């Protein structure tokens, strides 16, 4: 039996859930915790199950969608849905503005300006405040009834805000807008589809269209679509504001989401400024747009301008350069980066995309190559968004060149097994996406970065040897391995710089005048000479062994005391070192097993690079043995590096991040999130005074 109380409770629950949905999906300002929202929805579902006569199509419980429709009925739009003329250049916008100024007699007309959403245009019909039907644009005159799927779009209000009996509530209201699939939802869906063997979506627009035309609203509900309103269709029983921009405000007040980027601009310059501003934001926006739209703001002026066929003369879409374009792959190549990473890419017929002409696009990695199955001769869609490197997004099916028997002319592409630069094996570890050249210091592609890293301040500390010199040294073949640095003379540097300047067209005036500066080269050679006296930990860090950062280098140096026993250690012995896991142990053992790496080390020794060696110091010794210490904030009495060294000398392992395994956090001045985390985890915390007192009680044994 239905009591007044149940009816009231159901109405109350619906109102509260819809209000929460509005705040969540439209205002982006949720006020109801998820758990409470769930509880309200559950209660409503239970009441509706118990009282089926009270179920309404516009109840929030119906948004999940559960009745697949056999096919879509067609809907005739009472007011046709418009298509806009496009402008691709500033000049075309200039002509548009001039035409309006001339024909309206308004020298400085105002325009409502909006981003042009890249989704699917739809029309929503409300009668006395209730959603009754939603349809696609179709051909503008007739569309398809996709009401069931639109009900799953949570930012579409099912009941308008405000009192249905109020004079301001129109009897009939048709609202036009765009249904879109936000970028994040698009990516999430594709990741899911990939992992579960489903077809991925080509782009967010196709995702939105496909989703909306799904026959099963449950599938539609899986892809969280969003909606933005931007125009009106049929309207009865309401007095409209005099301008388009005010109408958008009114739609907002009824509960419709309107893009936060809409605004009003005047004059050609105002429109072009808006175009550039939105263009700059384009990649950061949560949804795809393909341009901006300018609409004459005053409705009386719109009427005066009228239409040409179905396109209004009072509005225009100013398009951005296309971010995707099709072209043909000429060949597939690989590039070896400075860290040895092997990146496949395509050389293709020149194509204009994202505002520039490109001939190369990345394929990222071997997995992507396999996923796309891209081959030479294929027609591909290339995407270039903003300053991002152009990438191949898909192969156009059916355009692959076939032989007379109908077989593809080119076999599937496989990544080479040898580095195209140095011939070393290309290796890919289990669970790693990136394949790498195993050549290490031997590979010229990796040399520049290796040399730059070797010379850096925390490694061998060779002052003045920046990236540009490192590049020139490799380009002109002065240096094949880092050991060659120790053979360079002042003359070598002077000649190298002259060649680099000639090549780059950067010959200084003083040199043109016949003066040759050599002081810098003398300093550089002195810097290289000075770096010969180093420490084992600096050397280990400088060698650029994968995963051996400063801290691991230090631990290794301490643990083995000398280089030879470290080079002789196998993976099992390396795993005994604190903080060295199986992966790092494998990298270290692999590095020292490479003959060319051993040659480099021998050459360094031969050329006078030396470091003190001593007995191994296992960190099981010292008062802090086995403890992990994290330093955060600034110390007054010493640098953090120095404090770390002294703690390590006492057996501590110094780490950069706080976890449950952390023994002590030493919090200096202005310590931030690490201190907060330590407090949260209940880790022992010392201030600087406690640290200094401890160090005083435990003078280093050396
Ligand atoms: Zn290589």
């Amino acid at each position: 039996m239905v009591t007044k109380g149940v009816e009231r409770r159901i109405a109350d629950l619906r109102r509260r859930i819809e209000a929460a949905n509005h705040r969540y999906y439209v205002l982006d300002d949720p006020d109801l915790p998820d758990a409470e929202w769930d509880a309200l929805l559950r209660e409503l579902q239970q009441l509706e199950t118990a009282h089926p006569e009270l179920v309404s199509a516009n109840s929030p419980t119906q948004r999940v969608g559960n009745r697949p429709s056999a096919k879509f009925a067609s809907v005739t739009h009472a007011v046709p849905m418009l298509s806009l003329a496009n402008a691709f250049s500033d000049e075309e916008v200039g002509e548009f503005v001039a035409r309006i100024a001339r024909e309206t007699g308004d020298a400085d007309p105002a325009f409502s300006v909006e981003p042009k959403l890249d989704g699917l245009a739809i029309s929503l019909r409300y009668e006395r405040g209730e959603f009754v039907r939603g349809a696609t644009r179709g051909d503008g005159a007739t569309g398809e009834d996709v009401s069931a799927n639109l009900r799953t779009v949570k930012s579409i209000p099912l009941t308008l805000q405000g009192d249905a009996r109020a004079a301001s509530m129109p009897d009939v209201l048709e609202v036009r807008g765009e249904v879109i699939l936000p970028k994040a939802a698009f990516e999430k869906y594709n990741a899911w589809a990939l992992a579960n063997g489903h077809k991925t979506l080509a782009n967010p627009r196709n995702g939105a269209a496909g989703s909306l035309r799904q026959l099963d609203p449950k599938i539609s509900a899986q892809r969280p679509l969003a909606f933005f309103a931007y125009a009106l269709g049929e309207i009865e029983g309401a007095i409209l504001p005099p301008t388009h921009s005010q109408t958008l405000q009114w739609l907002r007040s009824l509960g419709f989401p309107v893009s936060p980027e809409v605004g009003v601009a005047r004059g050609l310059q105002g429109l072009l400024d808006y175009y550039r501003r939105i263009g700059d934001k384009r990649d950061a926006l949560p949804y795809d747009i393909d341009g901006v739209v300018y609409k004459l703001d005053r409705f009386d002026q719109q009427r005066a301008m009228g239409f040409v066929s179905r396109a209004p003369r009072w509005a225009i879409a100013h398009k951005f350069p296309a971010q995707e374009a099709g072209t043909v792959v000429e060949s597939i190549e690989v590039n070896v980066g400075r860290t040895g990473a092997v990146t496949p890419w395509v050389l293709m017929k020149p194509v204009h995309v994202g505002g520039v002409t490109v001939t190369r696009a990345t394929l990222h990695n071997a997995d992507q190559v396999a996923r796309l199955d891209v081959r030479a001769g294929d027609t591909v869609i290339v995407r270039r968004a903003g300053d991002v490197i152009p990438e191949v997004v898909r192969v156009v099916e059916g355009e692959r060149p076939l032989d007379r028997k109908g077989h593809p002319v080119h076999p599937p592409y496989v990544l080479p097994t040898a580095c195209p630069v140095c011939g070393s094996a290309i290796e890919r570890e289990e669970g790693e996406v990136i394949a790498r050249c195993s050549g290490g210091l031997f590979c010229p592609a990796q040399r520049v970065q290796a040399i730059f890293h070797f010379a850096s301040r925390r490694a061998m500390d060779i002052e003045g040897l920046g990236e540009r010199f490192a590049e020139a040294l490799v380009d002109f073949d002065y240096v094949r391995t880092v050991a060659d640095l120790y053979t360079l003379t002042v003359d070598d540097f002077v000649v190298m710089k002259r060649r680099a300047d000639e090549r780059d067209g950067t010959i200084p005036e003083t040199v043109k005048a016949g003066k040759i500066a050599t002081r810098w080269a003398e300093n550089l050679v002195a810097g290289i000479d000075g770096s010969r006296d180093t420490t084992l930990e600096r050397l280990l860090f400088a060698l650029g062994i994968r995963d051996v950062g400063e801290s691991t280098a230090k631990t290794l140096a301490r643990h083995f005391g000398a280089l030879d026993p470290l080079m002789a250690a196998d993976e099992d012995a390396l795993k005994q070192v604190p903080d060295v896991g199986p992966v790092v142990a494998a990298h270290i053992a692999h590095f020292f097993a490479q003959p060319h790496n051993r040659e480099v080390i021998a050459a360094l020794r031969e050329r006078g690079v030396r470091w003190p060696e001593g007995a191994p110091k296992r960190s099981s010794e010292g008062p802090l043995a086995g403890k992990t210490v994290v330093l955060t904030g600034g110390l007054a009495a010493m640098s953090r590096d120095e404090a770390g060294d002294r703690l390590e000398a006492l057996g501590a392992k110094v780490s950069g991040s706080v976890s449950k395994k952390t023994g002590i956090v030493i919090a200096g001045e202005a310590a931030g999130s690490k201190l907060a985390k330590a407090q949260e985890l209940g880790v022992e915390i010392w201030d600087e005074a406690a640290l200094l007192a401890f160090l005083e009680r435990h003078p280093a044994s050396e």
Side-chain angles (χ1 to χ4, degrees):
M1 202 194 109
V2 179
T3 64
K4 270 270 177 282
V6 170
E7 238 175 293
R8 259 206 304 275
R9 181 64 185 158
I10 285 178
D12 181 49
L13 286 168
R14 285 178 184 160
R15 192 185 46 73
R16 286 172 63 187
I17 293 167
E18 281 301 284
N21 283 354
H22 180 72
R23 290 194 68 115
Y24 188 96
Y25 292 104
V26 180
L27 304 180
D28 210 14
D29 177 28
D31 61 344
L32 196 64
D34 287 354
E36 256 174 73
W37 185 90
D38 288 339
L40 295 180
L41 189 72
R42 245 190 337 268
E43 188 189 343
L44 180 59
Q45 278 165 337
Q46 281 160 0
L47 287 175
E48 289 182 353
T49 310
H51 305 281
E53 65 277 24
L54 295 181
V55 175
S56 138
N58 283 353
S59 168
T61 57
Q62 302 304 304
R63 281 196 188 268
V64 285
N66 42 24
R67 272 182 323 237
S69 44
K71 66 175 189 336
F72 301 108
S74 63
V75 173
T76 304
H77 299 297
V79 175
M81 289 182 77
L82 308 174
S83 51
L84 296 178
N86 289 323
F88 295 94
S89 68
D90 294 358
E91 291 71 37
E92 288 172 87
V93 177
E95 287 162 19
F96 166 74
V97 174
R99 189 163 59 235
I100 284 174
R102 194 170 58 238
E103 293 187 25
T104 58
D106 181 349
D108 191 23
F111 293 89
S112 174
V113 290
E114 309 164 9
K116 188 172 185 309
L117 303 163
D118 201 6
L120 198 71
I122 53 149
S123 180
L124 304 170
R125 185 177 176 90
Y126 293 81
E127 290 176 6
R128 273 164 296 282
E130 292 289 316
F131 174 69
V132 294
R133 194 172 61 233
T136 59
R137 182 178 175 280
D139 62 2
T142 310
E144 283 175 320
D145 185 340
V146 287
S147 305
N149 288 335
L150 286 171
R151 277 183 215 281
T152 70
V153 181
K154 297 207 173 59
S155 53
I156 292 178
L158 298 179
T159 302
L160 299 183
Q161 296 198 346
D163 190 342
R165 289 156 304 180
S168 59
M169 184 62 70
D171 297 329
V172 173
L173 174 66
E174 275 185 12
V175 174
R176 270 84 194 261
E178 201 90 349
V179 164
I180 53 170
L181 184 62
K183 288 176 190 167
F186 167 74
E187 272 150 30
K188 198 172 158 197
Y189 179 85
N190 271 0
W192 172 85
L194 216 54
N196 291 282
H198 291 266
K199 206 170 174 331
T200 53
L201 302 169
N203 55 47
R205 184 187 53 244
N206 289 12
S211 188
L212 207 54
R213 301 191 68 257
Q214 265 293 332
L215 285 177
D216 184 351
K218 272 190 181 147
I219 294 181
S220 228
Q222 274 175 10
R223 303 181 199 163
L225 298 174
F227 170 78
F228 285 109
Y230 52 63
L232 293 177
E234 190 183 8
I235 182 152
E236 264 175 37
I239 295 159
L240 286 184
T243 66
H244 181 77
S245 53
Q246 286 168 296
T247 304
L248 292 179
Q249 287 300 331
W250 176 62
L251 288 176
R252 244 187 210 132
S253 75
L254 291 174
F256 291 98
V258 173
S259 167
E261 312 299 335
V262 301
V264 175
R266 280 175 188 278
L268 177 60
Q269 200 51 50
L271 299 187
L272 297 182
D273 286 347
Y274 180 75
Y275 177 83
R276 312 250 184 276
R277 189 165 67 71
I278 297 296
D280 289 343
K281 281 177 92 164
R282 183 181 189 186
D283 294 322
L285 290 175
Y287 40 77
D288 270 358
I289 59 173
D290 57 357
V292 295
V293 178
Y294 312 129
K295 294 173 183 166
L296 193 53
D297 202 28
R298 274 169 53 184
F299 287 134
D300 61 335
Q301 292 183 337
Q302 286 189 7
R303 278 188 294 274
M305 292 300 295
F307 290 81
V308 173
S309 68
R310 207 178 287 149
R313 298 180 68 239
W314 41 264
I316 201 162
H318 192 181
K319 301 290 280 271
F320 290 136
Q323 287 180 317
E324 288 189 2
T327 183
V328 173
V329 173
E330 289 181 335
S331 62
I332 303 176
E333 318 276 341
V334 295
N335 175 51
V336 183
R338 290 175 170 184
T339 59
V342 174
T343 310
W345 55 275
V346 297
L347 183 67
M348 57 205 187
K349 295 223 164 81
V351 61
H352 196 73
V353 62
V356 296
T357 298
V358 295
T359 54
R360 291 160 158 243
T362 182
L363 288 163
H364 297 295
N365 54 55
D367 283 351
Q368 182 74 351
V369 173
R371 200 145 60 215
L372 296 170
D373 183 22
V374 53
R375 308 181 190 189
D378 276 353
T379 297
V380 291
I381 303 299
V382 180
R383 182 177 170 85
R384 179 183 179 275
D387 293 329
V388 181
I389 302 166
E391 58 171 354
V392 176
V393 288
R394 62 183 182 277
V395 173
V396 179
E397 275 176 55
E399 299 273 313
R400 173 163 292 164
L402 303 174
D403 62 18
R404 271 183 297 170
K405 287 180 183 162
H407 300 304
V409 174
H410 300 279
Y413 175 80
V414 277
L415 222 59
T417 52
C419 172
V421 183
C422 74
S424 300
I426 289 178
E427 294 173 349
R428 183 173 166 193
E429 280 167 43
E430 232 180 276
E432 289 256 335
V433 177
I434 303 291
R436 285 171 202 277
C437 162
S438 60
L441 298 184
F442 176 72
C443 179
Q446 297 176 58
R447 262 180 227 157
V448 175
Q449 190 60 30
I451 291 164
F452 181 59
H453 170 77
F454 184 83
S456 65
R457 194 174 60 78
R458 304 172 92 100
M460 299 300 275
D461 195 17
I462 302 174
E463 214 182 321
L465 191 66
E467 210 157 359
R468 183 169 182 247
F469 280 153
E471 233 165 59
L473 285 170
V474 171
D475 287 353
F476 296 110
D477 214 20
Y478 283 90
V479 172
R480 295 191 165 215
T481 77
V482 291
D484 294 342
L485 287 171
Y486 294 96
T487 64
L488 294 172
T489 63
V490 171
D491 264 3
D492 287 336
F493 276 114
V494 171
V495 174
M496 177 202 79
K497 183 167 187 302
R498 201 191 61 221
R499 291 171 68 184
D501 284 344
E502 278 169 11
R503 180 192 62 183
D504 304 339
T506 53
I507 304 166
E509 290 303 318
T510 49
V511 174
K512 284 184 192 156
K515 290 182 198 153
I516 308 285
T518 57
R519 174 62 68 80
W520 64 272
E522 285 157 18
N523 288 344
L524 204 43
V525 170
I528 292 171
D529 189 37
S531 75
R532 281 190 166 95
D533 270 308
T534 186
T535 62
L536 180 54
E537 61 186 64
R538 273 182 179 271
L539 176 75
L540 289 174
F541 176 56
L543 289 174
I545 307 164
R546 252 184 96 195
D547 287 344
V548 176
E550 267 184 293
S551 146
T552 306
K554 205 178 273 185
T555 316
L556 288 169
R558 193 180 299 277
H559 187 88
F560 288 96
L563 185 58
D564 287 332
L566 168 57
M567 286 173 69
D570 61 12
E571 285 185 39
D572 282 335
L574 287 163
K575 278 191 275 187
Q576 303 306 310
V577 182
D579 201 33
V580 172
V583 174
V584 181
H587 287 158
I588 297 167
H590 182 263
F591 181 89
F592 287 119
Q594 303 293 310
H596 47 253
N597 288 338
R598 300 182 82 98
E599 280 162 26
V600 167
I601 289 162
L604 284 169
R605 277 178 157 147
E606 216 170 87
R607 288 163 194 172
V609 176
R610 55 195 169 252
W611 54 91
E613 299 198 324
K617 264 208 347 230
R618 305 291 143 103
S619 60
S620 56
E621 296 159 22
L624 292 174
K627 278 216 166 168
T628 303
V629 178
V630 174
L631 287 150
T632 178
L635 300 173
M638 65 186 83
S639 72
R640 239 158 50 191
D641 281 350
E642 199 185 328
D645 285 347
R646 294 184 62 179
L647 291 164
E648 279 177 344
L650 297 171
K653 181 187 158 331
V654 176
S655 165
S657 60
V658 178
S659 74
K660 275 187 287 191
K661 289 186 187 154
T662 308
I664 304 163
V665 167
I666 295 165
E669 196 68 25
S673 60
K674 289 180 191 174
L675 174 59
K677 186 151 187 211
Q679 286 164 336
E680 191 188 307
L681 293 171
V683 173
E684 185 176 343
I685 296 165
W686 292 4
D687 60 10
E688 182 168 358
L691 170 69
L692 294 177
F694 183 85
L695 292 176
E696 204 166 316
R697 282 200 303 281
H698 299 280
S701 50
E702 291 155 274

